[in-house]
Amino acid sequence: MSFHTTSTIRPALAVLRVLDLQECLRFYQEVIGLKVLSETEESAELGVESNEPLLRLVQLQGGEERKETAGLYHVAFLVPSRENLADVFMHLLTTGYPLQGASHHEVSEAVYLSDPEGNGIEIYADTPSENWVWRNGQVQMTTKALNAENLLSQKTKSKWEGLPSGTVIGHIHLSVNNLEKAEAFYSALGFQTVSQYADAALFLSHGGYHHHIGINIWNSEGASPAGKKSSGLDYLSIFYPSEKNRREAIYALEELGIALEERKDGIFASDHSGITVQLIIEEKDEENGNI
């Protein structure tokens, strides 16, 4: 079962402000395995398939390095299978790029690292959804050591070819300055809280997924929003299956007193931590009537 389809409210794109565009481009291509879909002197879009960029990097002019503020905790790239994750893991070990962790969460297996500017990255594969344990609307997630030897036994490729077709942004995890206000904001966007960790982290999803959005206050409670001249997350795009779904989110945000901004590239809103989201719907192919 896929939880990242045209019928699911989900994160679709992360936009990062970077201090060194070319260094970050090399990292995301050579280490992570994304492909450049389009590029200018000031920005680049990356993904695995030309019809849906997953990451946009924007060169900061006269910017400064991000400090400990609210913003991105990690962007999580979901690969289609455990075998794909084994290939990714083998590649990362071969590059020698430092990993920050490797975990089994019951609902998924994951490896963690950061890009050259400290933006967190998770690459993961889901376990079969029929094995996920739900109690009273809450999914059971744990963190234990990844069985690396068992995972690597599933690798399929002798030559690294990058992240596979079908890779998507599975979830976005954010550092926020107020957990309660952040929960209200992302609930208004259309996500439901499905897990909680020690009163310091919440996980929200749409359509029965284990989580599309993570929020935590581990290092950011009471923190100031990052300024637009700081490197890090610029905004994230949330996909809506229809204009009706998006209008419901807009109405719920307005009920919270959240100001919305209509720009030429869409509708934007910011949470209490200053994290900005873009509310997007799939563009229809008018000639064929397809989505």
Side-chain angles (χ1 to χ4, degrees), residues 191-213:
F191 301 102
Q192 295 81 44
T193 301
V194 293
S195 188
Q196 181 171 346
Y197 183 78
D199 296 324
L202 294 172
F203 302 91
L204 304 93
S205 78
H206 179 259
Y209 193 51
H210 56 74
H211 70 294
H212 289 111
I213 300 288

Side-chain angles (χ1 to χ4, degrees), residues 13-17 54-58 232-237:
L13 173 73
V15 181
L16 304 180
R17 300 185 295 263
L54 304 178
L55 188 69
R56 181 182 302 140
L57 304 177
V58 180
L233 182 66
D234 189 26
Y235 67 86
L236 62 96
S237 296

